[in-house]
Amino acid sequence: MASAPSSTSGLRQPGSGPHLPDTARELVKILVAGPFGVGKTTLIDSVSEITPLHTEEHLTEASAAVDDLAGVRDKTTTTVAIDFGRISLPGGVVLYLFGTPGQERFRSLWDDIAYGALGALVLVDTRRIDDSFDVLGLVEESGLPYAVALNTFPDSRSYTEEQLRTALDLEPGTPLVECDARETNSSIDALLALVQHLIDKSAGP
């Protein structure tokens, strides 16, 4: 499986302040997408250089009827609008990260959140691959270039890259990397894989 590029050199640390760095040259809106409970909020928390904005609510008995907790029994909250964070990359590129709700009932928010985005990082849990299909469909329908990051969990299943690409029906050029959404460097590497994909697509054949 392809590995993401090394990312640690020259990056600002999370929590370093709300102001844009003087080196900022290009501001890019990126979606962090994926099914319910896949780790979108965790990834944004791990990389954001500002205090992230969250719109999380506690799961209730009413939501239990519509939010499938299979595989995420320990989850107690859910994003109901967006998560938002920011990270500055080398070369003056600043990513504005918008985490999207993963449940079908929030689908009506998708067009508004996706407006103006240049690409999407789609998180996948290999324990629940089928849960990713709806989100991948939304991203593809929107026409956004995207990369797929397999968020690893202690009991994640192991598959070959070929098996995963087939299961997810990915185009040959779609980046597929592994990450641990809890780890800053690992999450940044996944984002850099997406950024490189966007650069390659903009350069053309």
Side-chain angles (χ1 to χ4, degrees), residues 172-204:
T174 303
L176 177 64
V177 299
E178 291 185 348
C179 80
D180 183 337
R182 301 167 299 177
E183 297 292 333
T184 299
N185 291 337
S186 181
S187 298
I188 291 172
D189 284 344
L191 289 167
L192 282 176
L194 170 62
V195 170
Q196 186 60 55
H197 182 51
L198 298 178
I199 292 171
D200 293 344
K201 287 187 72 68
S202 67

PDB file of all heavy atoms in Angstrom, residues 172-204:
ATOM      1  N   PRO A 172      -7.767   3.898 -10.218  1.00  0.00           N
ATOM      2  CA  PRO A 172      -6.345   3.582 -10.012  1.00  0.00           C
ATOM      3  C   PRO A 172      -5.515   4.720  -9.432  1.00  0.00           C
ATOM      4  O   PRO A 172      -4.595   4.495  -8.655  1.00  0.00           O
ATOM      5  CB  PRO A 172      -5.864   3.210 -11.420  1.00  0.00           C
ATOM      6  CG  PRO A 172      -7.097   2.714 -12.107  1.00  0.00           C
ATOM      7  CD  PRO A 172      -8.225   3.529 -11.576  1.00  0.00           C
ATOM      8  N   GLY A 173      -5.828   5.961  -9.778  1.00  0.00           N
ATOM      9  CA  GLY A 173      -5.017   7.082  -9.314  1.00  0.00           C
ATOM     10  C   GLY A 173      -5.398   7.633  -7.952  1.00  0.00           C
ATOM     11  O   GLY A 173      -4.757   8.577  -7.459  1.00  0.00           O
ATOM     12  N   THR A 174      -6.422   7.073  -7.327  1.00  0.00           N
ATOM     13  CA  THR A 174      -6.872   7.583  -6.026  1.00  0.00           C
ATOM     14  C   THR A 174      -5.891   7.168  -4.934  1.00  0.00           C
ATOM     15  O   THR A 174      -5.662   5.975  -4.734  1.00  0.00           O
ATOM     16  CB  THR A 174      -8.264   7.050  -5.685  1.00  0.00           C
ATOM     17  OG1 THR A 174      -9.189   7.396  -6.721  1.00  0.00           O
ATOM     18  CG2 THR A 174      -8.755   7.620  -4.355  1.00  0.00           C
ATOM     19  N   PRO A 175      -5.307   8.118  -4.207  1.00  0.00           N
ATOM     20  CA  PRO A 175      -4.385   7.752  -3.123  1.00  0.00           C
ATOM     21  C   PRO A 175      -5.084   6.936  -2.041  1.00  0.00           C
ATOM     22  O   PRO A 175      -6.225   7.232  -1.663  1.00  0.00           O
ATOM     23  CB  PRO A 175      -3.916   9.102  -2.571  1.00  0.00           C
ATOM     24  CG  PRO A 175      -4.167  10.077  -3.680  1.00  0.00           C
ATOM     25  CD  PRO A 175      -5.380   9.578  -4.388  1.00  0.00           C
ATOM     26  N   LEU A 176      -4.400   5.894  -1.573  1.00  0.00           N
ATOM     27  CA  LEU A 176      -4.907   5.058  -0.489  1.00  0.00           C
ATOM     28  C   LEU A 176      -3.778   4.885   0.520  1.00  0.00           C
ATOM     29  O   LEU A 176      -2.745   4.284   0.204  1.00  0.00           O
ATOM     30  CB  LEU A 176      -5.349   3.693  -1.030  1.00  0.00           C
ATOM     31  CG  LEU A 176      -5.845   2.670  -0.008  1.00  0.00           C
ATOM     32  CD1 LEU A 176      -7.113   3.152   0.692  1.00  0.00           C
ATOM     33  CD2 LEU A 176      -6.089   1.318  -0.680  1.00  0.00           C
ATOM     34  N   VAL A 177      -3.945   5.465   1.707  1.00  0.00           N
ATOM     35  CA  VAL A 177      -2.888   5.439   2.717  1.00  0.00           C
ATOM     36  C   VAL A 177      -3.466   4.995   4.046  1.00  0.00           C
ATOM     37  O   VAL A 177      -4.681   5.007   4.257  1.00  0.00           O
ATOM     38  CB  VAL A 177      -2.228   6.829   2.879  1.00  0.00           C
ATOM     39  CG1 VAL A 177      -1.583   7.285   1.584  1.00  0.00           C
ATOM     40  CG2 VAL A 177      -3.251   7.860   3.360  1.00  0.00           C
ATOM     41  N   GLU A 178      -2.596   4.598   4.951  1.00  0.00           N
ATOM     42  CA  GLU A 178      -2.996   4.278   6.313  1.00  0.00           C
ATOM     43  C   GLU A 178      -2.683   5.450   7.223  1.00  0.00           C
ATOM     44  O   GLU A 178      -1.723   6.192   6.983  1.00  0.00           O
ATOM     45  CB  GLU A 178      -2.263   3.038   6.819  1.00  0.00           C
ATOM     46  CG  GLU A 178      -2.676   1.749   6.139  1.00  0.00           C
ATOM     47  CD  GLU A 178      -2.001   0.538   6.757  1.00  0.00           C
ATOM     48  OE1 GLU A 178      -1.045   0.739   7.545  1.00  0.00           O
ATOM     49  OE2 GLU A 178      -2.417  -0.584   6.455  1.00  0.00           O
ATOM     50  N   CYS A 179      -3.491   5.632   8.258  1.00  0.00           N
ATOM     51  CA  CYS A 179      -3.181   6.670   9.240  1.00  0.00           C
ATOM     52  C   CYS A 179      -3.762   6.283  10.584  1.00  0.00           C
ATOM     53  O   CYS A 179      -4.621   5.404  10.676  1.00  0.00           O
ATOM     54  CB  CYS A 179      -3.704   8.042   8.797  1.00  0.00           C
ATOM     55  SG  CYS A 179      -5.463   8.317   9.088  1.00  0.00           S
ATOM     56  N   ASP A 180      -3.267   6.930  11.607  1.00  0.00           N
ATOM     57  CA  ASP A 180      -3.842   6.844  12.949  1.00  0.00           C
ATOM     58  C   ASP A 180      -4.321   8.248  13.277  1.00  0.00           C
ATOM     59  O   ASP A 180      -3.505   9.150  13.495  1.00  0.00           O
ATOM     60  CB  ASP A 180      -2.792   6.366  13.950  1.00  0.00           C
ATOM     61  CG  ASP A 180      -3.359   6.181  15.360  1.00  0.00           C
ATOM     62  OD1 ASP A 180      -4.395   6.810  15.675  1.00  0.00           O
ATOM     63  OD2 ASP A 180      -2.763   5.432  16.147  1.00  0.00           O
ATOM     64  N   ALA A 181      -5.634   8.451  13.271  1.00  0.00           N
ATOM     65  CA  ALA A 181      -6.202   9.792  13.432  1.00  0.00           C
ATOM     66  C   ALA A 181      -5.832  10.434  14.763  1.00  0.00           C
ATOM     67  O   ALA A 181      -5.928  11.652  14.908  1.00  0.00           O
ATOM     68  CB  ALA A 181      -7.724   9.745  13.286  1.00  0.00           C
ATOM     69  N   ARG A 182      -5.368   9.647  15.720  1.00  0.00           N
ATOM     70  CA  ARG A 182      -4.971  10.198  17.019  1.00  0.00           C
ATOM     71  C   ARG A 182      -3.592  10.825  16.969  1.00  0.00           C
ATOM     72  O   ARG A 182      -3.245  11.628  17.847  1.00  0.00           O
ATOM     73  CB  ARG A 182      -4.985   9.092  18.076  1.00  0.00           C
ATOM     74  CG  ARG A 182      -6.326   8.411  18.263  1.00  0.00           C
ATOM     75  CD  ARG A 182      -6.167   7.143  19.083  1.00  0.00           C
ATOM     76  NE  ARG A 182      -5.266   6.187  18.408  1.00  0.00           N
ATOM     77  CZ  ARG A 182      -4.910   5.018  18.931  1.00  0.00           C
ATOM     78  NH1 ARG A 182      -5.380   4.652  20.107  1.00  0.00           N
ATOM     79  NH2 ARG A 182      -4.089   4.217  18.260  1.00  0.00           N
ATOM     80  N   GLU A 183      -2.796  10.441  15.968  1.00  0.00           N
ATOM     81  CA  GLU A 183      -1.407  10.853  15.880  1.00  0.00           C
ATOM     82  C   GLU A 183      -1.252  12.015  14.902  1.00  0.00           C
ATOM     83  O   GLU A 183      -1.633  11.916  13.732  1.00  0.00           O
ATOM     84  CB  GLU A 183      -0.532   9.690  15.435  1.00  0.00           C
ATOM     85  CG  GLU A 183      -0.522   8.518  16.405  1.00  0.00           C
ATOM     86  CD  GLU A 183       0.165   8.879  17.705  1.00  0.00           C
ATOM     87  OE1 GLU A 183       1.036   9.780  17.682  1.00  0.00           O
ATOM     88  OE2 GLU A 183      -0.179   8.286  18.752  1.00  0.00           O
ATOM     89  N   THR A 184      -0.659  13.108  15.367  1.00  0.00           N
ATOM     90  CA  THR A 184      -0.533  14.310  14.549  1.00  0.00           C
ATOM     91  C   THR A 184       0.214  14.039  13.248  1.00  0.00           C
ATOM     92  O   THR A 184      -0.280  14.365  12.158  1.00  0.00           O
ATOM     93  CB  THR A 184       0.191  15.420  15.339  1.00  0.00           C
ATOM     94  OG1 THR A 184      -0.572  15.730  16.503  1.00  0.00           O
ATOM     95  CG2 THR A 184       0.350  16.678  14.492  1.00  0.00           C
ATOM     96  N   ASN A 185       1.401  13.473  13.346  1.00  0.00           N
ATOM     97  CA  ASN A 185       2.203  13.275  12.142  1.00  0.00           C
ATOM     98  C   ASN A 185       1.534  12.331  11.156  1.00  0.00           C
ATOM     99  O   ASN A 185       1.582  12.542   9.933  1.00  0.00           O
ATOM    100  CB  ASN A 185       3.593  12.754  12.510  1.00  0.00           C
ATOM    101  CG  ASN A 185       4.427  13.792  13.226  1.00  0.00           C
ATOM    102  OD1 ASN A 185       4.191  14.992  13.107  1.00  0.00           O
ATOM    103  ND2 ASN A 185       5.415  13.341  13.987  1.00  0.00           N
ATOM    104  N   SER A 186       0.915  11.277  11.661  1.00  0.00           N
ATOM    105  CA  SER A 186       0.230  10.326  10.801  1.00  0.00           C
ATOM    106  C   SER A 186      -0.938  10.989  10.070  1.00  0.00           C
ATOM    107  O   SER A 186      -1.148  10.773   8.871  1.00  0.00           O
ATOM    108  CB  SER A 186      -0.268   9.138  11.626  1.00  0.00           C
ATOM    109  OG  SER A 186      -0.914   8.198  10.821  1.00  0.00           O
ATOM    110  N   SER A 187      -1.683  11.823  10.775  1.00  0.00           N
ATOM    111  CA  SER A 187      -2.814  12.523  10.168  1.00  0.00           C
ATOM    112  C   SER A 187      -2.342  13.546   9.147  1.00  0.00           C
ATOM    113  O   SER A 187      -2.954  13.716   8.083  1.00  0.00           O
ATOM    114  CB  SER A 187      -3.657  13.197  11.252  1.00  0.00           C
ATOM    115  OG  SER A 187      -4.211  12.240  12.140  1.00  0.00           O
ATOM    116  N   ILE A 188      -1.254  14.243   9.453  1.00  0.00           N
ATOM    117  CA  ILE A 188      -0.710  15.212   8.509  1.00  0.00           C
ATOM    118  C   ILE A 188      -0.242  14.507   7.239  1.00  0.00           C
ATOM    119  O   ILE A 188      -0.452  14.996   6.117  1.00  0.00           O
ATOM    120  CB  ILE A 188       0.445  16.006   9.143  1.00  0.00           C
ATOM    121  CG1 ILE A 188      -0.083  16.931  10.246  1.00  0.00           C
ATOM    122  CG2 ILE A 188       1.182  16.842   8.084  1.00  0.00           C
ATOM    123  CD1 ILE A 188       1.002  17.606  11.049  1.00  0.00           C
ATOM    124  N   ASP A 189       0.374  13.348   7.395  1.00  0.00           N
ATOM    125  CA  ASP A 189       0.815  12.595   6.228  1.00  0.00           C
ATOM    126  C   ASP A 189      -0.366  12.258   5.310  1.00  0.00           C
ATOM    127  O   ASP A 189      -0.246  12.317   4.080  1.00  0.00           O
ATOM    128  CB  ASP A 189       1.513  11.313   6.658  1.00  0.00           C
ATOM    129  CG  ASP A 189       2.925  11.546   7.172  1.00  0.00           C
ATOM    130  OD1 ASP A 189       3.479  12.629   6.919  1.00  0.00           O
ATOM    131  OD2 ASP A 189       3.475  10.651   7.827  1.00  0.00           O
ATOM    132  N   ALA A 190      -1.484  11.891   5.901  1.00  0.00           N
ATOM    133  CA  ALA A 190      -2.669  11.587   5.101  1.00  0.00           C
ATOM    134  C   ALA A 190      -3.149  12.828   4.349  1.00  0.00           C
ATOM    135  O   ALA A 190      -3.515  12.760   3.168  1.00  0.00           O
ATOM    136  CB  ALA A 190      -3.776  11.031   5.991  1.00  0.00           C
ATOM    137  N   LEU A 191      -3.140  13.972   5.032  1.00  0.00           N
ATOM    138  CA  LEU A 191      -3.537  15.215   4.374  1.00  0.00           C
ATOM    139  C   LEU A 191      -2.563  15.591   3.262  1.00  0.00           C
ATOM    140  O   LEU A 191      -2.966  16.068   2.192  1.00  0.00           O
ATOM    141  CB  LEU A 191      -3.625  16.345   5.402  1.00  0.00           C
ATOM    142  CG  LEU A 191      -4.802  16.253   6.382  1.00  0.00           C
ATOM    143  CD1 LEU A 191      -4.600  17.225   7.535  1.00  0.00           C
ATOM    144  CD2 LEU A 191      -6.120  16.541   5.666  1.00  0.00           C
ATOM    145  N   LEU A 192      -1.283  15.360   3.480  1.00  0.00           N
ATOM    146  CA  LEU A 192      -0.293  15.654   2.444  1.00  0.00           C
ATOM    147  C   LEU A 192      -0.474  14.762   1.227  1.00  0.00           C
ATOM    148  O   LEU A 192      -0.228  15.187   0.083  1.00  0.00           O
ATOM    149  CB  LEU A 192       1.123  15.496   3.000  1.00  0.00           C
ATOM    150  CG  LEU A 192       1.632  16.650   3.863  1.00  0.00           C
ATOM    151  CD1 LEU A 192       3.008  16.312   4.435  1.00  0.00           C
ATOM    152  CD2 LEU A 192       1.695  17.939   3.075  1.00  0.00           C
ATOM    153  N   ALA A 193      -0.898  13.520   1.436  1.00  0.00           N
ATOM    154  CA  ALA A 193      -1.183  12.645   0.304  1.00  0.00           C
ATOM    155  C   ALA A 193      -2.299  13.229  -0.550  1.00  0.00           C
ATOM    156  O   ALA A 193      -2.246  13.182  -1.793  1.00  0.00           O
ATOM    157  CB  ALA A 193      -1.552  11.250   0.797  1.00  0.00           C
ATOM    158  N   LEU A 194      -3.314  13.798   0.105  1.00  0.00           N
ATOM    159  CA  LEU A 194      -4.397  14.451  -0.635  1.00  0.00           C
ATOM    160  C   LEU A 194      -3.881  15.687  -1.359  1.00  0.00           C
ATOM    161  O   LEU A 194      -4.183  15.900  -2.539  1.00  0.00           O
ATOM    162  CB  LEU A 194      -5.538  14.832   0.312  1.00  0.00           C
ATOM    163  CG  LEU A 194      -6.623  15.729  -0.291  1.00  0.00           C
ATOM    164  CD1 LEU A 194      -7.331  15.035  -1.441  1.00  0.00           C
ATOM    165  CD2 LEU A 194      -7.623  16.154   0.784  1.00  0.00           C
ATOM    166  N   VAL A 195      -3.104  16.519  -0.668  1.00  0.00           N
ATOM    167  CA  VAL A 195      -2.585  17.747  -1.291  1.00  0.00           C
ATOM    168  C   VAL A 195      -1.743  17.415  -2.520  1.00  0.00           C
ATOM    169  O   VAL A 195      -1.872  18.054  -3.570  1.00  0.00           O
ATOM    170  CB  VAL A 195      -1.764  18.561  -0.265  1.00  0.00           C
ATOM    171  CG1 VAL A 195      -1.021  19.705  -0.948  1.00  0.00           C
ATOM    172  CG2 VAL A 195      -2.675  19.109   0.830  1.00  0.00           C
ATOM    173  N   GLN A 196      -0.894  16.400  -2.412  1.00  0.00           N
ATOM    174  CA  GLN A 196      -0.083  16.011  -3.565  1.00  0.00           C
ATOM    175  C   GLN A 196      -0.967  15.534  -4.717  1.00  0.00           C
ATOM    176  O   GLN A 196      -0.690  15.812  -5.891  1.00  0.00           O
ATOM    177  CB  GLN A 196       0.897  14.901  -3.173  1.00  0.00           C
ATOM    178  CG  GLN A 196       1.879  14.530  -4.273  1.00  0.00           C
ATOM    179  CD  GLN A 196       2.738  15.708  -4.691  1.00  0.00           C
ATOM    180  OE1 GLN A 196       3.395  16.327  -3.853  1.00  0.00           O
ATOM    181  NE2 GLN A 196       2.725  16.036  -5.987  1.00  0.00           N
ATOM    182  N   HIS A 197      -2.047  14.837  -4.388  1.00  0.00           N
ATOM    183  CA  HIS A 197      -2.998  14.381  -5.408  1.00  0.00           C
ATOM    184  C   HIS A 197      -3.642  15.578  -6.111  1.00  0.00           C
ATOM    185  O   HIS A 197      -3.798  15.581  -7.338  1.00  0.00           O
ATOM    186  CB  HIS A 197      -4.057  13.505  -4.739  1.00  0.00           C
ATOM    187  CG  HIS A 197      -5.058  12.926  -5.674  1.00  0.00           C
ATOM    188  ND1 HIS A 197      -4.727  12.234  -6.821  1.00  0.00           N
ATOM    189  CD2 HIS A 197      -6.433  12.929  -5.634  1.00  0.00           C
ATOM    190  CE1 HIS A 197      -5.822  11.834  -7.451  1.00  0.00           C
ATOM    191  NE2 HIS A 197      -6.871  12.241  -6.739  1.00  0.00           N
ATOM    192  N   LEU A 198      -4.010  16.599  -5.336  1.00  0.00           N
ATOM    193  CA  LEU A 198      -4.597  17.801  -5.928  1.00  0.00           C
ATOM    194  C   LEU A 198      -3.602  18.509  -6.844  1.00  0.00           C
ATOM    195  O   LEU A 198      -3.955  18.991  -7.918  1.00  0.00           O
ATOM    196  CB  LEU A 198      -5.081  18.750  -4.831  1.00  0.00           C
ATOM    197  CG  LEU A 198      -6.171  18.234  -3.900  1.00  0.00           C
ATOM    198  CD1 LEU A 198      -6.512  19.271  -2.843  1.00  0.00           C
ATOM    199  CD2 LEU A 198      -7.416  17.841  -4.686  1.00  0.00           C
ATOM    200  N   ILE A 199      -2.346  18.567  -6.408  1.00  0.00           N
ATOM    201  CA  ILE A 199      -1.305  19.200  -7.224  1.00  0.00           C
ATOM    202  C   ILE A 199      -1.118  18.427  -8.526  1.00  0.00           C
ATOM    203  O   ILE A 199      -1.036  19.015  -9.627  1.00  0.00           O
ATOM    204  CB  ILE A 199       0.021  19.267  -6.444  1.00  0.00           C
ATOM    205  CG1 ILE A 199      -0.108  20.249  -5.278  1.00  0.00           C
ATOM    206  CG2 ILE A 199       1.171  19.688  -7.365  1.00  0.00           C
ATOM    207  CD1 ILE A 199       1.068  20.227  -4.326  1.00  0.00           C
ATOM    208  N   ASP A 200      -1.063  17.100  -8.416  1.00  0.00           N
ATOM    209  CA  ASP A 200      -0.865  16.278  -9.607  1.00  0.00           C
ATOM    210  C   ASP A 200      -2.013  16.433 -10.595  1.00  0.00           C
ATOM    211  O   ASP A 200      -1.812  16.510 -11.805  1.00  0.00           O
ATOM    212  CB  ASP A 200      -0.722  14.799  -9.211  1.00  0.00           C
ATOM    213  CG  ASP A 200       0.548  14.522  -8.438  1.00  0.00           C
ATOM    214  OD1 ASP A 200       1.464  15.374  -8.469  1.00  0.00           O
ATOM    215  OD2 ASP A 200       0.612  13.462  -7.782  1.00  0.00           O
ATOM    216  N   LYS A 201      -3.243  16.497 -10.073  1.00  0.00           N
ATOM    217  CA  LYS A 201      -4.414  16.638 -10.961  1.00  0.00           C
ATOM    218  C   LYS A 201      -4.427  18.004 -11.622  1.00  0.00           C
ATOM    219  O   LYS A 201      -4.811  18.143 -12.788  1.00  0.00           O
ATOM    220  CB  LYS A 201      -5.712  16.397 -10.184  1.00  0.00           C
ATOM    221  CG  LYS A 201      -5.957  14.948  -9.813  1.00  0.00           C
ATOM    222  CD  LYS A 201      -7.312  14.736  -9.194  1.00  0.00           C
ATOM    223  CE  LYS A 201      -8.423  14.855 -10.223  1.00  0.00           C
ATOM    224  NZ  LYS A 201      -8.411  13.765 -11.189  1.00  0.00           N
ATOM    225  N   SER A 202      -4.025  19.035 -10.885  1.00  0.00           N
ATOM    226  CA  SER A 202      -4.028  20.387 -11.464  1.00  0.00           C
ATOM    227  C   SER A 202      -2.950  20.539 -12.530  1.00  0.00           C
ATOM    228  O   SER A 202      -3.091  21.348 -13.451  1.00  0.00           O
ATOM    229  CB  SER A 202      -3.832  21.436 -10.370  1.00  0.00           C
ATOM    230  OG  SER A 202      -2.536  21.340  -9.810  1.00  0.00           O
ATOM    231  N   ALA A 203      -1.881  19.720 -12.401  1.00  0.00           N
ATOM    232  CA  ALA A 203      -0.805  19.779 -13.390  1.00  0.00           C
ATOM    233  C   ALA A 203      -1.202  19.115 -14.697  1.00  0.00           C
ATOM    234  O   ALA A 203      -0.607  19.364 -15.745  1.00  0.00           O
ATOM    235  CB  ALA A 203       0.454  19.126 -12.829  1.00  0.00           C
ATOM    236  N   GLY A 204      -2.222  18.246 -14.644  1.00  0.00           N
ATOM    237  CA  GLY A 204      -2.686  17.582 -15.855  1.00  0.00           C
ATOM    238  C   GLY A 204      -1.797  16.423 -16.237  1.00  0.00           C
ATOM    239  O   GLY A 204      -0.881  16.054 -15.522  1.00  0.00           O
TER     240      GLY A 204
END
